[in-house]
Amino acid sequence: MLSRKALQITPSPTLSIDAKAKQLKNEGKDVIGFGAGEPDFDTPVHIKEAAINAINQGFTKYTPASGIPELKEAVCARFLRDNGLTYQPQQIVVSNGAKHSLDNVFSALLNQGDEVILPAPYWVSYPELVKLNEGIPVVIETQKEHNYKLKGTQLEKALSPRTKALVLNSPSNPTGQLYSREELEEIASVAIKNNIFIVSDEVYEKLIYGRSEHISIASLGEEIKKLTIIVNGASKTYAMTGWRIGYTASELNIATAMADIQSHNASNPNSIAQKAAYTALTGPQDCVQEMRLTFEKRRDYMLEYISHMPYLTCIEPQGAFYLFVNIGKTFSRKFRNIHIENGDHFAELLLDHYRVALVPGRGFGAPEYARLSYATSMDNIQAGLERLNSFLKELD
Ligand code: PMP
Ligand code: GLU
């Protein structure tokens, strides 16, 4: 018999939709994937060269479990430059992607039954990672009129004696929304008053559009910095999803606990990928700017197109690379005489009949929505949206 933990876990819907779309493509089927949030760009050449050099120089052995000193120093330098935050290298833990970093955080913080507050819509892996670490996810619905962002008053209401942490994700996957300084201050003051940790997932920090500005909640003052564990990584900023490099910055005791945990369950992240990440963080940054501008053009195109589609509505994302679209008006309508029952059914019909993959909202705690990633080429976007539009026009 499997463990209770194993029995209650569900596979990542973002990864499984991506896998399904990739499989159909490999079978020669013409599928357009708006599924996984994975930059479609190749990893920049100078980063790949750093990895090739690492191999040629024989940098292919175990490293310190929580990462090589030069990479930790580079991470500290970036926190200082980008967020005005001072950390020492011992406060940094480098892991196998930000997902692994999050797992380390929950493993280090949670006792059985501890509650972790998740503002919905949330990224699909948060509740599962909390449960895997014996915590209880406590979901708070955010409101559209607040652009799906958590209010301090909502946080206050959701607190219980078992509340251990809040997960904050700005810019957000799936909504693309960004918290302003004032909004973060409101949340920080509740967290400080009640002594709860903030797990601040900032992996989309560099992918911001228009005039919006990313602010790390840890930068609002010493008290909130002590309670914050920042999670970041190379996947999104540098198109390095497959390399698996994520990192955290936190108080020393938390970092030490996470490093110790990782020393037993993973050892070091890939030595070659660490060298590549070092070059990514310290090398030229124009590649990031180029990718960001491309994402922004795609975002604008999609927003405009979707605003003319029947049934769908969405708010403008300020960051990340997703549109979170309300598809609720299609439920109970008919596609070729089949009643659309829910978001999963919508996604299934769209994939089967129009070969377009998107992620239904259930896994994000928002069943009336669907997520479309614009981390795919403009040609794909144009063709995919045309198909989606034709699908919608068939509904009655
Ligand atoms: N956080 C968020 C909000 C994400 O969307 C993702 C997905 N890539 C991750 C963390 C994990 O990223 P990775 O493990 O590839 O660093
Ligand atoms: N985070 C990305 C997404 O939300 C990649 C898939 C995953 O890590 O779950 O699509």
Side-chain angles (χ1 to χ4, degrees):
M1 185 63 174
L2 293 173
S3 67
R4 241 177 290 133
K5 204 193 259 187
L7 289 172
Q8 68 175 1
I9 202 79
T10 53
S12 161
T14 45
L15 290 181
S16 54
I17 282 173
D18 187 52
K20 189 165 173 189
K22 282 179 178 157
Q23 187 198 331
L24 287 167
K25 244 186 224 156
N26 286 342
E27 288 166 8
K29 304 215 168 94
D30 159 36
V31 178
I32 296 182
F34 289 113
E38 169 166 67
D40 52 313
F41 309 109
D42 196 3
T43 305
V45 173
H46 68 285
I47 300 176
K48 293 201 287 190
E49 275 167 1
I52 293 164
N53 289 341
I55 296 175
N56 288 336
Q57 287 160 11
F59 196 73
T60 53
K61 302 281 162 55
Y62 290 135
T63 75
S66 60
I68 52 176
E70 71 202 83
L71 177 54
K72 291 187 184 184
E73 269 158 33
V75 168
C76 290
R78 285 297 292 264
F79 274 121
L80 186 60
R81 194 190 79 188
D82 297 351
N83 312 100
L85 284 165
T86 304
Y87 289 104
Q88 301 307 318
Q90 311 88 283
Q91 296 177 273
I92 308 300
V93 177
V94 185
S95 303
N96 297 294
K99 206 179 259 190
H100 183 208
S101 301
L102 285 159
D103 191 46
N104 281 338
V105 174
F106 295 131
S107 178
L109 292 185
L110 300 183
N111 286 315
Q112 193 177 27
D114 281 350
E115 295 177 359
V116 178
I117 295 177
L118 304 178
Y122 47 73
W123 179 48
V124 294
S125 291
Y126 297 144
E128 305 307 310
L129 287 169
V130 168
K131 285 190 274 175
L132 280 172
N133 287 288
E134 305 195 38
I136 300 176
V138 174
V139 173
I140 311 184
E141 296 290 331
T142 59
Q143 309 304 320
K144 186 171 178 215
E145 55 271 30
H146 299 142
N147 288 341
Y148 311 105
K149 287 184 272 189
L150 179 72
K151 306 291 291 171
T153 44
Q154 284 185 296
L155 174 59
E156 207 142 33
K157 263 198 222 135
L159 296 174
S160 90
R162 297 306 308 257
T163 307
K164 194 71 179 269
L166 160 73
V167 178
L168 209 60
N169 176 213
S170 177
S172 151
N173 174 5
T175 67
Q177 298 306 303
L178 196 64
Y179 282 75
S180 68
R181 181 177 294 279
E182 293 69 33
E183 288 161 343
L184 292 173
E185 276 167 355
E186 208 181 286
I187 289 168
S189 82
V190 179
I192 292 167
K193 201 165 96 196
N194 296 281
N195 200 33
I196 62 166
F197 290 106
I198 309 272
V199 182
S200 184
D201 181 341
E202 303 179 11
V203 297
Y204 295 102
E205 174 195 21
K206 295 289 169 212
L207 299 176
I208 289 181
Y209 315 113
R211 280 190 311 236
S212 321
E213 185 197 2
H214 167 82
I215 294 166
S216 173
I217 192 163
S219 68
L220 297 181
E222 267 314 301
E223 275 182 294
I224 193 65
K225 183 178 173 222
K226 286 201 169 94
L227 288 170
T228 302
I229 302 99
I230 301 180
V231 176
N232 210 325
S235 287
K236 314 293 170 172
T237 310
Y238 299 102
M240 288 178 71
T241 45
W243 300 73
R244 312 309 303 133
I245 293 291
Y247 50 85
T248 53
S250 66
E251 280 291 278
L252 184 59
N253 64 332
I254 303 174
T256 308
M258 292 194 289
D260 291 348
I261 291 166
Q262 184 166 303
S263 76
H264 287 294
N265 71 8
S267 304
N268 60 280
N270 179 301
S271 59
I272 302 150
Q274 288 190 70
K275 284 282 190 185
Y278 170 81
T279 296
L281 291 175
T282 57
Q285 301 296 304
D286 16 328
C287 51
V288 179
Q289 178 66 351
E290 267 167 42
M291 291 190 269
R292 193 191 66 74
L293 287 171
T294 307
F295 285 134
E296 186 161 23
K297 279 194 202 114
R298 296 170 181 176
R299 176 198 75 149
D300 294 347
Y301 178 84
M302 282 182 79
L303 268 174
E304 167 70 15
Y305 200 136
I306 287 176
S307 73
H308 294 107
M309 285 187 187
Y311 310 115
L312 309 188
T313 52
C314 78
I315 63 166
E316 184 177 315
Q318 296 160 295
F321 35 58
Y322 309 104
L323 289 188
F324 206 50
V325 182
N326 190 310
I327 56 169
K329 288 209 178 98
T330 68
F331 299 170
S332 84
R333 291 200 168 261
K334 281 193 209 150
F335 172 77
R336 300 181 190 169
N337 249 341
I338 311 165
H339 265 115
I340 301 180
E341 288 161 26
N342 51 38
D344 289 8
H345 194 201
F346 177 100
E348 189 185 310
L349 289 169
L350 185 64
L351 185 58
D352 289 348
H353 296 273
Y354 275 91
R355 299 264 178 247
V356 172
L358 45 68
V359 192
R362 193 162 52 92
F364 302 96
E368 293 209 341
Y369 289 75
R371 192 192 75 176
L372 281 82
S373 158
Y374 45 93
T376 184
S377 72
M378 198 61 159
D379 285 349
N380 274 346
I381 290 173
Q382 283 165 345
L385 291 184
E386 258 169 50
R387 291 183 196 185
L388 174 59
N389 202 28
S390 307
F391 172 80
L392 293 170
K393 288 199 164 140
E394 275 203 57
L395 304 187
D396 53 31

